[in-house]
C-alpha cells in the first residue's frame, strides 16, 4: 500500500478530471463512457483536461473508445496479475497513479466493482468519497465539485462537497448520465496513452479466484433502451410477464420490474429498477401493477414519459406519471398489444 | 475462532415519510432497527461459532440507544457487544467512521484476542454508501470480500476460506486466507429462530461502552471537523405533478394509450 507520506496534501497541485474505465475481459462497461461524457462538461467549466484510467492485463485497445468519448489522456497499467478484478492489486495500481498524477476529480461507476474499488482507494488516499451520486456540478464561485445523492432510500437528497482533500472522488450509478461520443475525436489537444509500470507478483496477492459463474440472464443494461415496460407484484405471476415482454418488443424496448417482482421470482434481479437495482431514464417507462414505493421511484422518475397502469387510483406511482390509467393491467395490456398490432399492420399496408 | 461483526442501528428507511411543505423527513415514530444486512452477518458468524467453537463479538458506533441493536445481536447468539460512543465521533463521514471503528476494533483485539473473521453488512439502509466495511479492511490491510453470498468452506487449520460473492455478471468464488473481511448480502443465509436461553442471556448481559478515552485515538481524524466530505444541503426530491388520468370506456382508454405509445412502435419486422 501507498506510504502516506507520499501523498501530496497541497490541493492546488491537483488538476484534471479522471474517469475510471471499468472493464471485464477487455470489454469496457458502458457507465465509463457515461462518465467521460459528464467529465467533458465538468472539464469545460473547470478549464481542465479529461483523462481516463484503466487497469487490467490488456487494456490499451480501449484507447480508441476512450478518446472517442472525450478523454485526452489515457493512463494504463497492464499486468497479468491484474487480469481479473481483485480489490487489493487494483486498489494499489489506481492509488499509485493518483498519487503520481494528482487528479482533482475522480469519477467511478457505482457498479459492484466500482463500489468495491472506490471505498478502498479513498481510504488509502485519505480523501472523501461520495457514493451513488445522481448529479454532479461545479460551483462557479469555489470551483468545487458538488455531488448530489439520494439517502434514506431516496426520501432525501444530499449535496456533498469535499473542500480540503483531493481528489474529490465520487461513484455514479449506471444510467444516470447519457454516453454521447464526440463528433470528431478531440482536436488540437494532447491525446496520448501513458503506460505506467508497477511491479506486481502473483505471490503477493493472497486472494485467488477459483471460479466465475456468469448468470444465465447475463448483464442486462436497462439504460440502453428508449422504452422500458416494467411490472410489479400486481402482474400476479411470472407467466403474465410474457405480455410485458411482447409489449416491449412491439415498442422496440425491454422489460423490467420492481423488487417485489424479483422477490416473488417473476423476474431476475438483473432486471430490477430502483434503489437497489438499476437507475433508468428512458423516453418511455410503462409501469404495470407497480405501487410506486420511493425506492422504486428513485430509479425511474426521471423518465421522459411515464405511463402507469394500476387498479388503485391512489397508487403513489400516479404521482410521478405523465398518463394515469386506472385499470387491471392483466386485461389492459393484452388489449393494448392487440390495438398496437392493428396499427402496425395498417401502417405496413400503407 | 473469533469473529467480529460491525453493525449499525438505523431508522427503518421504509417507514420514513416526507413532509413536502417543510422539505424535511418525518422521523417521529420511525423505529430504529438493526441494519437488515447485518442481521445476516451476525447469523453467519454464529453459524461458524456453532461449528468450530470460539466466540462472536459485536462492535457498533453510535449513541447510547444503539445498545438495543447490540442486544438484538446477543439474542441471535453473539457473545459480547461493544458500543463506541463519544461526542468526539459526532458527524463523522465514512472516512472518519472507518477510522473510529478501526481503532475500536484494535481495542477489541487487545481485550478479546486476535480476530479471524470481520463481518459487516454490504451497506446501511440509511446512507447506502457501502464504504465503511471496505474502509476498515483497508486500514487493517486484510483481504476484502464484498457482497458475500455464500461461505463455501472454512478451514481454520490451514487458515483459509472459500467464499462466493456477487459480481456485475453473476458470481465468483474466491479462496482467501484468514483473517478476512466480509460485507454480506441478505441472500447469504436464512435467519434461524433464537432458542430461549439466548434470549434470556441477552436480556441479562451488559453492553460494554467504549468512550474516546478508552481507545487509542488520533483526535485529528475524528468527527465532523475531520471528515473530508461536508453536507452542503439536504432537500427532498422535487415532487412531480400527477399527470392526466385517461378516462372513458375501457376501449376508449386503450385507444388513447395506444396513441400515446404509437410513436415508439417498432416498424422493422
Ligand atoms: C432498502 C430497500 C431497498 C429497496 N429497493 C428497491 C428497488 O430497488 N426497487 C424496487 O422496486 N423496490 C425496492 N424496494 C421495495 C419497495 O419498498 C417496495 O416494496 C416495492 O417497490 C413494491 O413493489 P411493487 O410495486 O411491485 O409491489 P406492491 O407495492 O405490492 O404494489 C403492487 C401494486 O399493484 C397493483 N395491482 C394489483 N393488481 C393489479 C392489476 N391486476 N392491475 C394493475 N395493478 C394491480 C396494486 O394496486 C399495487 O399498487 C426496496 C425496499 C427497501 C427497504
Amino acid at each position: 500500500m501507498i506510504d502516506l507520506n507520499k501523498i501530496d496534501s497541497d490541493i492546488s497541485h491537483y488538476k484534471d478530471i479522471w474517469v475510471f474505465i471499468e472493464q471485464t475481459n477487455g470489454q469496457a462497461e458502458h457507465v465509463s463512457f457515461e462518465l467521460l461524457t459528464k467529465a467533458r462538461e465538468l472539464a469545460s467549466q473547470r478549464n481542465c483536461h479529461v483523462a481516463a484510467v484503466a487497469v487490467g492485463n490488456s487494456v490499451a485497445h480501449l484507447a480508441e473508445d476512450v478518446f472517442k468519448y472525450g478523454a485526452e489522456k489515457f493512463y494504463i497499467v497492464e499486468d497479468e496479475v491484474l487480469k481479473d478484478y481483485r480489490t487489493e492489486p487494483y486498489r494499489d495500481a489506481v492509488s499509485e497513479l493518483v498519487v503520481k498524477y494528482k487528479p482533482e476529480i475522480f469519477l467511478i461507476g457505482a457498479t459492484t466493482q466500482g463500489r468495491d474499488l472506490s471505498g478502498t482507494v479513498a481510504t488509502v488516499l485519505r480523501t472523501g468519497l461520495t457514493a451513488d451520486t445522481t448529479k454532479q456540478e461545479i460551483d462557479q464561485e469555489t470551483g468545487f465539485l458538488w455531488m448530489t445523492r439520494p439517502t434514506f432510500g431516496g426520501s432525501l437528497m444530499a449535496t456533498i462537497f469535499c473542500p480540503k482533500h483531493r481528489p474529490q472522488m465520487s461513484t455514479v450509478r449506471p444510467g444516470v448520465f447519457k454516453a454521447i461520443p464526440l463528433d470528431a475525436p478531440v482536436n488540437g489537444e494532447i491525446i496520448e496513452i501513458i503506460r505506467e509500470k508497477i511491479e506486481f507478483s502473483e505471490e503477493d496477492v493472497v486472494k485467488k479466484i477459483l471460479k466465475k459463474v456468469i448468470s444465465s440472464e447475463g448483464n442486462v443494461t436497462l439504460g440502453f433502451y428508449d422504452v422500458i415496460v416494467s411490472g410489479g407484484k400486481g402482474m400476479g405471476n411470472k407467466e403474465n410477464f410474457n405480455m410485458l415482454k411482447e409489449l416491449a418488443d412491439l415498442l422496440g424496448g425491454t422489460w423490467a420490474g420492481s423488487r417485489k417482482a424479483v422477490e416473488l421470482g417473476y423476474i431476475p434481479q438483473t432486471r430490477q429498477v430502483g434503489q437497489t437495482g438499476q437507475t433508468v431514464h428512458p423516453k418511455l417507462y410503462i409501469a404495470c401493477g407497480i405501487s410506486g414505493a420511493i425506492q422504486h421511484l428513485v430509479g425511474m422518475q426521471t423518465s421522459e414519459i411515464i405511463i402507469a397502469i394500476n387498479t388503485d387510483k391512489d397508487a403513489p406511482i400516479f404521482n410521478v406519471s405523465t398518463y394515469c390509467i386506472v385499470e387491471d393491467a392483466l386485461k389492459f395490456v393484452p388489449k393494448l398489444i392487440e390495438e398496437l398490432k392493428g396499427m402496425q399492420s395498417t401502417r405496413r399496408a400503407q | 475462532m473469533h469473529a467480529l461483526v460491525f453493525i449499525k442501528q438505523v431508522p427503518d428507511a421504509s417507514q420514513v415519510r416526507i413532509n413536502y411543505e417543510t422539505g424535511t423527513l418525518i422521523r417521529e415514530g420511525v423505529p430504529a432497527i438493526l441494519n437488515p444486512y447485518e442481521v445476516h452477518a451476525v447469523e453467519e458468524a454464529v453459524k461458524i461459532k456453532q461449528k468450530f467453537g470460539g466466540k462472536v463479538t459485536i462492535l457498533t458506533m453510535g449513541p447510547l440507544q444503539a445498545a438495543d441493536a447490540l442486544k438484538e445481536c446477543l439474542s441471535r447468539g453473539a457473545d459480547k457487544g461493544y458500543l463506541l460512543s463519544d461526542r468526539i465521533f459526532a458527524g463523522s463521514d465514512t472516512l472518519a467512521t472507518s477510522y473510529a471503528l478501526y481503532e475500536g476494533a484494535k481495542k477489541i483485539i487487545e481485550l478479546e484476542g486476535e480476530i479471524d473473521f470481520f463481518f459487516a453488512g454490504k451497506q446501511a439502509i440509511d446512507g447506502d454508501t457501502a464504504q465503511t466495511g471496505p474502509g476498515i479492511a483497508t486500514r487493517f490491510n486484510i483481504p476484502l470480500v464484498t457482497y458475500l453470498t455464500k461461505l463455501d468452506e472454512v478451514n481454520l487449520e490451514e487458515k483459509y476460506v472459500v467464499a462466493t460473492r456477487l459480481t456485475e455478471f453473476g458470481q465468483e468464488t474466491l479462496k482467501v486466507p484468514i483473517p478476512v473481511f466480509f460485507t454480506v448480502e441478505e441472500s447469504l443465509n436464512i435467519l434461524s429462530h433464537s432458542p430461549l436461553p439466548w434470549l434470556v442471556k441477552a436480556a441479562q448481559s451488559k453492553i460494554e461502552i467504549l468512550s474516546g478515552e478508552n481507545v487509542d485515538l488520533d483526535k485529528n481524524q475524528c468527527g465532523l471537523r475531520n471528515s473530508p466530505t461536508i453536507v452542503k444541503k439536504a432537500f427532498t426530491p422535487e415532487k412531480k405533478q400527477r399527470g392526466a388520468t385517461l378516462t372513458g370506456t375501457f376501449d376508449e382508454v386503450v385507444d388513447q394509450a395506444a396513441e400515446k405509445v404509437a410513436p415508439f412502435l417498432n416498424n422493422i419486422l
Side-chain angles (χ1 to χ4, degrees):
Chain A
M1 259 203 285
I2 301 286
D3 175 2
L4 281 176
N5 295 318
K6 275 174 45 188
I7 300 175
D8 188 349
S9 57
D10 183 343
I11 69 169
S12 70
H13 295 162
Y14 289 75
K15 297 214 160 50
D16 295 345
I17 302 179
W18 279 20
V19 171
F20 179 71
I21 307 298
E22 178 175 337
Q23 58 86 29
T24 310
N25 298 328
Q27 280 273 112
E29 284 287 320
H30 192 255
V31 65
S32 309
F33 302 124
E34 295 165 11
L35 295 186
L36 279 174
T37 309
K38 186 69 189 178
R40 268 172 14 220
E41 178 196 318
L42 298 173
S44 72
Q45 292 172 40
R46 270 308 276 156
N47 239 325
C48 67
H49 298 290
V50 175
V53 209
V55 168
N57 63 333
S58 163
V59 292
H61 65 279
L62 299 172
E64 195 186 326
D65 276 340
V66 159
F67 294 139
K68 199 164 80 192
Y69 282 91
E72 294 151 78
K73 286 184 189 169
F74 187 26
Y75 295 91
I76 59 171
V77 182
E78 292 184 317
D79 196 298
E80 269 314 302
V81 170
L82 302 170
K83 181 172 177 294
D84 294 301
Y85 175 78
R86 284 178 292 177
T87 316
E88 295 76 19
Y90 269 59
R91 170 196 74 196
D92 293 344
V94 171
S95 346
E96 217 32 88
L97 289 173
V98 170
V99 168
K100 184 158 174 191
Y101 295 103
K102 303 178 193 165
E104 184 183 37
I105 291 173
F106 192 8
L107 307 178
I108 299 176
T111 57
T112 34
Q113 187 187 116
R115 291 172 125 223
D116 186 276
L117 178 70
S118 58
T120 55
V121 168
T123 308
V124 170
L125 300 171
R126 301 289 192 269
T127 191
L129 167 62
T130 305
D132 271 0
T133 57
T134 52
K135 192 173 170 194
Q136 308 262 337
E137 57 201 322
I138 301 283
D139 175 35
Q140 296 305 332
E141 206 172 298
T142 57
F144 295 152
L145 180 66
W146 285 358
M147 301 160 274
T148 300
R149 68 183 304 267
T151 62
F152 280 100
S155 314
L156 191 69
M157 305 297 288
T159 301
I160 292 169
F161 70 120
C162 176
K164 294 193 199 131
H165 297 72
R166 291 295 177 269
Q168 305 162 76
M169 285 182 67
S170 109
T171 60
V172 182
R173 291 190 145 214
V176 171
F177 302 126
K178 285 254 186 259
I180 306 164
L182 293 168
D183 298 333
V186 201
N187 218 342
E189 298 288 354
I190 14 113
I191 294 189
E192 56 175 329
I193 300 182
I194 297 149
R195 275 177 201 273
E196 203 51 44
K197 192 72 206 151
I198 299 174
E199 289 304 321
F200 283 104
S201 95
E202 185 55 45
E203 278 115 74
D204 294 341
V205 185
V206 293
K207 193 191 273 174
K208 306 293 173 201
I209 298 174
L210 303 180
K211 183 170 80 184
K212 277 179 178 279
V213 181
I214 312 282
S215 73
S216 58
E217 261 298 316
N219 184 19
V220 192
T221 308
L222 299 173
F224 287 157
Y225 298 89
D226 283 342
V227 178
I228 295 175
V229 182
S230 195
K233 183 176 174 230
M235 290 306 292
N237 62 42
K238 190 174 175 176
E239 286 63 45
N240 285 337
F241 269 77
N242 288 334
M243 61 175 91
L244 302 189
K245 292 176 196 175
E246 192 178 354
L247 180 58
D249 277 346
L250 271 172
L251 300 172
T254 193
W255 53 283
S258 70
R259 177 152 126 174
K260 275 222 182 124
V262 174
E263 282 165 1
L264 292 164
Y266 301 171
I267 62 162
Q269 210 277 329
T270 48
R271 286 183 182 271
Q272 181 188 318
V273 169
Q275 188 203 341
T276 45
Q278 299 187 46
T279 307
V280 297
H281 54 187
K283 293 205 173 88
L284 174 63
Y285 188 91
I286 305 180
C288 308
I290 294 178
S291 62
I294 183 78
Q295 296 91 350
H296 188 80
L297 299 185
V298 290
M300 47 64 73
Q301 61 190 356
T302 57
S303 306
E304 281 170 39
I305 300 173
I306 297 170
I307 299 181
I309 307 165
N310 198 305
T311 40
D312 172 9
K313 70 172 183 7
D314 296 321
I317 188 78
F318 287 137
N319 295 334
V320 303
S321 298
T322 327
Y323 302 111
C324 312
I325 298 172
V326 187
E327 292 289 352
D328 180 340
L330 303 179
K331 295 202 187 97
F332 192 84
V333 174
K335 256 320 225 213
L336 180 62
I337 292 172
E338 198 179 297
E339 182 72 21
L340 289 171
K341 279 186 173 163
M343 289 168 103
Q344 208 174 34
S345 49
T346 6
R347 270 197 209 171
R348 227 175 282 124
Q350 277 165 3
Chain B
M1 190 290 302
H2 184 198
L4 175 62
V5 187
F6 296 91
I7 63 139
K8 185 176 183 187
Q9 191 183 47
V10 293
D12 185 351
S14 64
Q15 295 201 33
V16 175
R17 296 279 170 273
I18 306 170
N19 180 338
Y20 280 105
E21 255 106 75
T22 57
T24 51
L25 293 183
I26 304 166
R27 293 207 216 180
E28 285 91 68
V30 176
I33 56 169
L34 175 56
N35 185 33
Y37 300 106
E38 270 120 48
V39 183
H40 294 272
V42 173
E43 179 82 20
E44 200 67 18
V46 169
K47 266 169 64 183
I48 303 176
K49 179 181 87 168
Q50 285 174 320
K51 194 153 172 209
F52 295 97
K55 65 180 173 187
V56 175
T57 309
I58 314 286
L59 174 61
T60 191
M61 181 173 94
L64 293 175
Q65 304 89 280
D68 292 344
L70 288 168
K71 289 239 165 174
E72 182 178 343
C73 298
L74 299 183
S75 74
R76 292 182 175 280
D79 298 279
K80 204 159 179 183
Y82 284 88
L83 171 59
L84 187 57
S85 193
D86 200 306
R87 296 257 298 275
I88 193 170
F89 301 123
S92 293
D93 74 350
T94 51
L95 191 75
T97 301
S98 77
Y99 173 70
L101 287 170
Y102 164 68
E103 291 297 350
K106 285 205 317 207
K107 184 73 193 177
I108 285 174
I109 294 174
E110 205 182 298
L111 297 170
E112 303 280 341
E114 288 297 326
I115 294 161
D116 303 296
F117 304 105
F118 294 83
F119 281 97
K122 73 162 174 179
Q123 65 196 48
I125 60 162
D126 54 350
D128 291 319
T129 71
Q131 287 167 22
T132 308
I136 302 167
T138 307
R139 290 174 189 275
F140 274 110
N141 198 13
I142 54 174
L144 168 68
V145 179
T146 47
Y147 308 107
L148 181 75
T149 52
K150 189 162 181 242
L151 202 47
D152 305 80
E153 186 190 342
V154 172
N155 192 323
L156 287 178
E157 246 126 72
E158 293 173 41
K159 284 203 154 294
Y160 72 84
V161 294
V162 175
T164 300
R165 66 183 287 269
L166 277 189
T167 68
E168 218 56 27
F169 296 95
Q171 312 235 329
E172 69 183 11
T173 303
L174 305 160
K175 184 174 174 187
V176 195
I178 297 168
V180 53
F181 199 114
F182 300 112
T183 76
V184 316
E185 290 280 347
E186 280 171 306
S187 60
L188 175 64
N189 50 42
I190 292 162
L191 300 179
S192 49
H193 288 286
S194 303
L196 192 61
W198 291 8
L199 301 176
V200 174
K201 197 173 146 224
Q204 291 166 349
S205 31
K206 195 171 133 280
I207 297 300
E208 303 285 335
I209 314 271
L210 297 174
S211 75
E213 299 297 315
N214 300 131
V215 292
D216 180 22
L217 276 189
D218 168 7
K219 296 202 163 56
N220 294 321
Q221 294 193 56
C222 296
L224 182 67
R225 219 158 38 88
N226 299 298
S227 291
T229 57
I230 296 174
V231 178
K232 197 184 143 13
K233 60 173 182 212
F235 55 99
T236 48
E238 213 174 288
K239 196 172 185 217
K240 277 206 174 182
Q241 290 299 318
R242 180 180 172 133
T245 302
L246 304 186
T247 52
T249 64
F250 182 80
D251 286 343
E252 283 165 3
V253 175
V254 170
D255 281 350
Q256 292 171 51
E259 228 166 82
K260 305 289 180 213
V261 304
F264 297 95
L265 256 185
N266 207 344
N267 288 315
I268 339 144
L269 259 190

